[in-house]
Amino acid sequence: MIITADGEVVSAYRDGEDVTDERKALEEQTEEAISKFLNRNRDVLEFNMFCMLEEDGMTVEVMVDGVSYTFTCSMYGDIIGMGRTDGNRFDLRGK
């Protein structure tokens, strides 16, 4: 369960355990990885949503220059794939 206020994580619990600090650190690490990938300052990116995918990872929505991107990331903040609103998709993991 995650409690947010104005888009910021206030508290997060998994199986009754407080994981707020872990969740915030993961979001920060993931935002840093995405900003490096896009070659943009974190301050100019608009991170709209973090959606956890159980223990497998997360999806993150980011707005850049009017284009919405959805990143699929591991639980360690590594970028696995990326999709754009214009339908282009980029897979970063080798097959």
Side-chain angles (χ1 to χ4, degrees), residues 14 22-34 36 50 52-60 72-80 93:
R14 184 181 322 132
E22 178 183 326
R23 168 73 186 221
K24 287 181 179 181
L26 177 60
E27 284 187 13
E28 186 175 319
Q29 179 179 345
T30 303
E31 287 179 2
E32 226 14 84
I34 291 170
K36 286 180 183 177
F50 281 79
M52 303 303 279
L53 304 170
E54 299 296 327
E55 297 295 320
D56 297 330
M58 70 187 98
T59 60
V60 182
T72 304
C73 301
S74 73
M75 287 303 290
Y76 304 104
D78 299 322
I79 299 168
I80 298 168
R93 191 187 305 189

Side-chain angles (χ1 to χ4, degrees), residues 28-82:
E28 186 175 319
Q29 179 179 345
T30 303
E31 287 179 2
E32 226 14 84
I34 291 170
S35 66
K36 286 180 183 177
F37 177 81
L38 294 172
N39 198 27
R40 297 281 207 289
N41 229 339
R42 243 173 77 192
D43 299 340
V44 301
L45 301 176
E46 185 178 331
F47 293 89
N48 294 319
M49 183 180 73
F50 281 79
C51 180
M52 303 303 279
L53 304 170
E54 299 296 327
E55 297 295 320
D56 297 330
M58 70 187 98
T59 60
V60 182
E61 290 184 14
V62 182
M63 288 290 292
V64 181
D65 297 333
V67 178
S68 176
Y69 295 85
T70 300
F71 285 86
T72 304
C73 301
S74 73
M75 287 303 290
Y76 304 104
D78 299 322
I79 299 168
I80 298 168
M82 178 187 75

